[in-house]
Amino acid sequence: MANILEVQDLSMYYITKSTTVRAVEDVTFSIAEGETFGLVGESGCGKSTAARALVRLLPESGKIVGGSVLYKDKNVVSMTEHEVRALRGREIGMIFQDPMTSLNPVTTVRKQFFESLKRDKNMTKAAMEERSIELLRLVGIPEPAARLDNYVHELSGGMRQRVMIAIALASQPRLLLADEPTTALDVTIQDQVICLLNDLREQLGMSILLVTHDLGVVNEMCHHVAVMYAGRIVEIADTRNPLHHPRHPYTKGLINSLPAEHDTRSRLEPINGAPPNLSREIIGCPFAPRCPHTTETCRTQLPRTVMVDEGHFVSCHLVTEAACAADSAQKQGGAQ
Ligand SMILES: Nc1ncnc2c1ncn2[C@@H]1O[C@H](COP(=O)(O)OP(=O)(O)OP(=O)(O)O)[C@@H](O)[C@H]1O
Ligand SMILES: [Mg+2]
């Protein structure tokens, strides 16, 4: 399947006079057409920054310092501001954890739909009204016509989230960036929103980048997953691999920290220690201070990324050494 997005060696820093926060460092991944791609990792590892960097939706201090983001073979990093804005409006939709930050509190739901739909110059007001109702219905809002007159604060949390998704879909994006779209919701509504996103992806044939720290959701919904740690991707593969055959000690730690399903007595086993401060230079593997298998090499050298299986990439010295040992054993075997 063709890729809709190809991110290569992307680095994004928050640079001020006093500090440089290396929020995204040398990140490489691609999203295929029609797939859901998960981005997971602990709080502060750079997930939101990476998602926003893809469409250059960054604060003043946020600078892309290297790499490229190819959307349908065009580099977003070198686009003009005008081109990126058009991309955000039409091709790439965005939904965020807190709908209040992306919905406008002082205009009605109708106006927010029209704002997005009026980009299609051929659309009459009646057609826009009809399309808005259709989108609200698509996301499962009861009495959609009546909701158009509402202001955002008049809606419940679950409704707001759905309205935000419907508005994001108004421009028929080919790629949806969904940054923790369900965290603010209660569990039953979380499930509904996740199912809804999955259905919409299938119906509309779009791709989704799903930022989450919920590995259960990744397991259910994603085709590929990238595990981020301290601004870097440490493991990436289709969901069968990192979740069921994790190779990076951090991914293993994340999975171990999940409560076993149906076992109410099981305890979370958090990974010891805390992630590094991204405003300090990191020498060696960023996970070394917390890793149970750390060696001298880990403390002094950044691991390179190796492919351990078809499409399964890991950045860990132990994995690299094991792969090299297996490789040379195979060569020796072949030479005999
Ligand atoms: N505007 C900013 N200025 C400076 N540093 C920032 C800014 N926004 C985020 N950061 C820092 O960048 C790093 C990555 O933050 P980011 O919000 O991308 O993480 P995240 O993985 O999305 O976390 P969470 O799971 O909590 O949403 C963190 O160290 C954070 O403190
Ligand atoms: Mg975030």
Side-chain angles (χ1 to χ4, degrees):
M1 189 140 352
N3 289 331
I4 191 158
L5 192 85
E6 289 183 3
V7 182
Q8 187 73 44
D9 300 326
L10 185 70
S11 295
M12 211 287 339
Y13 299 169
Y14 293 106
I15 302 173
T16 62
K17 272 188 193 146
S18 52
T19 59
T20 295
V21 179
R22 295 166 172 84
V24 173
E25 190 87 277
D26 269 338
V27 158
T28 296
F29 64 93
S30 48
I31 303 180
E33 274 175 27
E35 82 160 327
T36 302
F37 186 98
L39 195 55
V40 299
E42 279 167 297
S43 185
C45 70
K47 305 181 294 296
S48 299
T49 306
R52 286 170 174 269
L54 302 181
V55 283
R56 294 189 9 210
L57 204 61
L58 296 164
E60 183 81 2
S61 63
K63 306 272 186 260
I64 294 176
V65 294
S68 58
V69 178
L70 296 187
Y71 177 80
K72 292 185 179 168
D73 298 328
K74 265 200 101 183
N75 191 357
V76 179
V77 175
S78 54
M79 280 181 188
T80 63
E81 192 54 41
H82 179 75
E83 284 172 318
V84 189
R85 223 173 287 146
L87 191 71
R88 273 185 227 138
R90 279 166 221 198
E91 299 272 330
I92 305 183
M94 285 158 294
I95 53 177
F96 299 111
Q97 183 171 352
D98 178 8
M100 293 310 267
T101 58
S102 55
L103 294 174
N104 187 339
V106 295
T107 59
T108 59
V109 169
R110 175 184 287 100
K111 276 212 179 126
Q112 297 185 59
F113 270 112
F114 281 24
E115 201 51 45
S116 188
L117 291 168
K118 77 178 182 200
R119 293 197 188 100
D120 179 352
K121 301 275 185 293
N122 299 322
M123 246 186 164
T124 62
K125 275 208 162 146
M128 288 199 282
E129 178 98 4
E130 207 172 301
R131 179 83 184 124
S132 309
I133 293 171
E134 195 181 305
L135 285 162
L136 287 175
R137 192 170 293 127
L138 192 70
V139 298
I141 299 266
E143 297 180 69
R147 295 287 81 79
L148 289 180
D149 292 317
N150 284 135
Y151 288 86
V152 175
H153 65 84
E154 296 173 319
L155 305 170
S156 69
M159 283 251 213
R160 268 182 218 153
Q161 205 81 12
R162 283 163 187 263
V163 167
M164 178 171 64
I165 295 172
I167 292 173
L169 295 175
S171 55
Q172 294 185 286
R174 302 309 304 147
L175 172 65
L176 187 69
L177 306 179
D179 188 355
E180 310 257 14
T182 62
T183 315
L185 304 174
D186 69 48
V187 177
T188 38
I189 300 172
Q190 279 189 15
D191 284 348
Q192 286 174 21
V193 172
I194 289 296
C195 287
L196 169 72
L197 284 175
N198 218 9
D199 290 351
L200 293 172
R201 181 188 57 76
E202 273 177 18
Q203 279 175 39
L204 309 173
M206 64 182 178
S207 310
I208 300 179
L209 174 75
L210 182 70
V211 173
T212 179
H213 47 241
D214 188 334
L215 288 179
V217 167
V218 169
N219 204 14
E220 253 169 63
M221 184 164 159
C222 298
H223 302 90
H224 284 89
V225 61
V227 179
M228 257 185 115
Y229 185 78
R232 295 178 181 273
I233 290 179
V234 296
E235 183 156 12
I236 187 167
D238 66 39
T239 33
R240 281 169 308 155
N241 278 323
L243 300 185
H244 301 292
H245 304 284
R247 296 292 300 272
H248 197 285
Y250 175 64
T251 315
K252 290 181 186 175
L254 274 186
I255 291 168
N256 285 341
S257 71
L258 286 177
E261 219 178 331
H262 310 305
D263 181 358
T264 47
R265 288 165 310 163
S266 73
R267 289 219 237 119
L268 281 176
E269 285 180 47
I271 307 166
N272 286 335
N277 181 343
L278 299 182
S279 58
R280 299 219 183 100
E281 196 188 349
I282 298 170
I283 293 167
C285 170
F287 191 57
R290 297 172 82 184
C291 181
H293 313 289
T294 302
T295 64
E296 193 48 33
T297 314
C298 304
R299 281 189 211 100
T300 51
Q301 287 173 38
L302 184 70
R304 59 192 176 85
T305 303
V306 290
M307 191 169 97
V308 292
D309 205 347
E310 181 67 31
H312 185 176
F313 297 89
V314 185
S315 306
C316 169
H317 286 301
L318 296 164
V319 173
T320 312
E321 280 163 20
C324 288
D327 201 32
S328 61
Q330 202 177 21
K331 277 190 191 133
Q332 272 179 5
Q336 276 166 8

